[in-house]
Amino acid sequence: MEVVDTAAALSQLRRGALEYCVLALLRDDECYAYQIVQELGAVDGMVTSEGTIYPLLSRLRRDELVETTWRESAAGPPRRYYRCTPAGRRALRAFEPEWRRFRAAVDRFLDAGGAA
Amino acid sequence: MSGQQLVADYLSRLRSAAGSLPTGQRQELVGEIEAHIAEASGRRGYAESDVRNVLDRLGPPEEIVAAAGGGVTTAAPPPAYERRGTPLLEIAALILLLVGGLVVPVVGWLAGVALLWSSRIWTVRDKLLGTLVVPGGLGLVALGGLASLVMVSGGCVSSASLDSAGVSHSSSTCSPPSALHNGLLIALMVLMVIAPVTTVAYLGRRLTRPVAARL
């Protein structure tokens, strides 16, 4: 497969990593959707289209990696709060070492290429 | 366009783009996006510049729906369908399978088999079908035809014997083949012509199905 389209390749990588970033946000805390979107959007390069986070959250819910609770909100209508399930935490625990290994490997090649 | 009009417009685009989603999912998604917009700009009364910012950051409705499509948000993009030019290898294979055996007995057909198995379009099942129905293609049928012609017309038995005087006599007794015998042979012949032709036609049709590109 020819990686000619950088944007497309990055978009794939982003999509793959995004759900783990969400799980990481929800590992120890409870957040509502808008909060999650804000936090992800605050980090440069993480999300290109904030709206796509909502389908992602739905999928994580369907896959039972996160669970939700509705809570009353002083600021307006009830809010849906998300948090990790044990399965979600397990998935995150499995992902972390793999990701660090992968990232180190890619960096290594990129650095070696630069030094040549 | 006022802020609220922009919102209404965006949500209506989202609703229609999400038409392919199951109803529950679609309603939930639209509801969540609506709540998001309200939270982001509702407090300042949907000021136009606020709304524009929020909608920009949300991204195109089509992209959001694409992320929801099939329920797989981390999926790789759909496999590219490789539209090959004329599948020359496969056409050659089909020709050789069918009539290769007529032109160069055995070897011609075997060449067809080799090409058949080296194709990247046909599945293993296709290839097995092409090899086993009928081995030899029409070449085998021709051979069989010749053989049965001999049997049909020359249903003769020759015998040579020495009589008591040491003189050799040869006689042949010809028994006309039965009608049933003939009929069966013809039926078999017809079948053996139809089978490879049908197989080749089937394999030809299989060439036009979309094939996922090998990445």
Side-chain angles (χ1 to χ4, degrees):
Chain A
M1 176 173 113
E2 276 189 74
V3 186
V4 175
D5 190 350
T6 313
L10 275 175
S11 158
Q12 276 196 64
L13 278 172
R14 234 181 240 120
R15 251 177 296 175
L18 193 57
E19 63 177 279
Y20 293 100
C21 293
V22 171
L23 288 174
L25 276 174
L26 301 173
R27 176 166 41 193
D28 306 311
D29 290 320
E30 211 181 46
C31 305
Y32 59 98
Y34 188 68
Q35 246 182 317
I36 297 171
V37 175
Q38 293 290 86
E39 300 225 27
L40 289 169
V43 178
D44 179 44
M46 196 57 226
V47 203
T48 45
S49 159
E50 286 183 354
T52 59
I53 296 175
Y54 288 94
L56 171 58
L57 288 172
S58 294
R59 185 172 78 78
L60 289 173
R61 214 167 59 232
R62 274 200 302 278
D63 292 348
E64 297 183 339
L65 297 173
V66 302
E67 57 194 357
T68 68
T69 327
W70 287 93
R71 295 198 197 286
E72 289 298 328
S73 151
R79 282 175 178 152
R80 193 170 206 164
Y81 280 80
Y82 290 77
R83 83 181 150 276
C84 256
T85 60
R89 270 181 222 106
R90 272 201 301 276
L92 189 54
R93 263 202 307 276
F95 174 76
E96 238 183 291
E98 287 305 311
W99 163 257
R100 295 195 195 282
R101 214 161 61 142
F102 174 68
R103 188 187 60 180
V106 174
D107 280 343
R108 198 168 142 189
F109 282 106
L110 292 178
D111 291 335
Chain B
M1 258 189 167
S2 80
Q4 290 194 301
Q5 261 176 296
L6 284 169
V7 175
D9 189 58
Y10 184 88
L11 289 175
S12 124
R13 271 172 62 199
L14 180 63
R15 234 174 248 115
S16 80
S20 54
L21 295 178
T23 314
Q25 245 182 290
R26 179 174 71 243
Q27 289 177 336
E28 187 183 76
L29 181 62
V30 174
E32 287 179 332
I33 299 289
E34 197 171 355
H36 174 102
I37 297 174
E39 180 114 28
S41 62
R43 244 163 281 165
R44 282 183 298 261
Y46 295 101
E48 194 185 320
S49 53
D50 280 344
V51 170
R52 283 191 190 275
N53 279 331
V54 174
L55 296 183
D56 274 349
R57 291 178 68 112
L58 276 176
E62 294 75 25
E63 210 173 304
I64 300 178
V65 175
V72 197
T73 45
T74 56
Y81 282 95
E82 194 181 67
R83 223 52 195 102
R84 308 178 62 157
T86 330
L88 291 172
L89 180 131
E90 282 72 17
I91 291 179
L94 289 179
I95 294 176
L96 283 173
L97 279 173
L98 196 60
V99 298
L102 287 174
V103 177
V104 184
V106 183
V107 177
W109 177 74
L110 281 175
V113 175
L115 288 179
L116 170 76
W117 282 88
S118 67
S119 162
R120 291 167 89 221
I121 303 184
W122 285 313
T123 63
V124 174
R125 212 192 86 185
D126 291 338
K127 293 173 182 177
L128 279 172
L129 231 92
T131 315
L132 299 174
V133 184
V134 167
L138 290 178
L140 179 73
V141 173
L143 262 171
L146 278 169
S148 20
L149 270 174
V150 170
M151 285 170 64
V152 166
S153 60
C156 304
V157 177
S158 308
S159 57
S161 54
L162 288 170
D163 70 10
S164 45
V167 181
S168 77
H169 293 265
S170 73
S171 65
S172 48
T173 44
C174 291
S175 51
S178 69
L180 178 65
H181 183 102
N182 277 1
L184 278 176
L185 272 173
I186 291 174
L188 188 65
M189 289 288 303
V190 169
L191 209 71
M192 287 183 67
V193 169
I194 293 181
V197 171
T198 316
T199 307
V200 164
Y202 166 77
L203 287 175
R205 283 212 60 209
R206 294 284 285 166
L207 287 178
T208 58
R209 71 185 172 110
V211 178
R214 300 272 186 94
L215 292 175

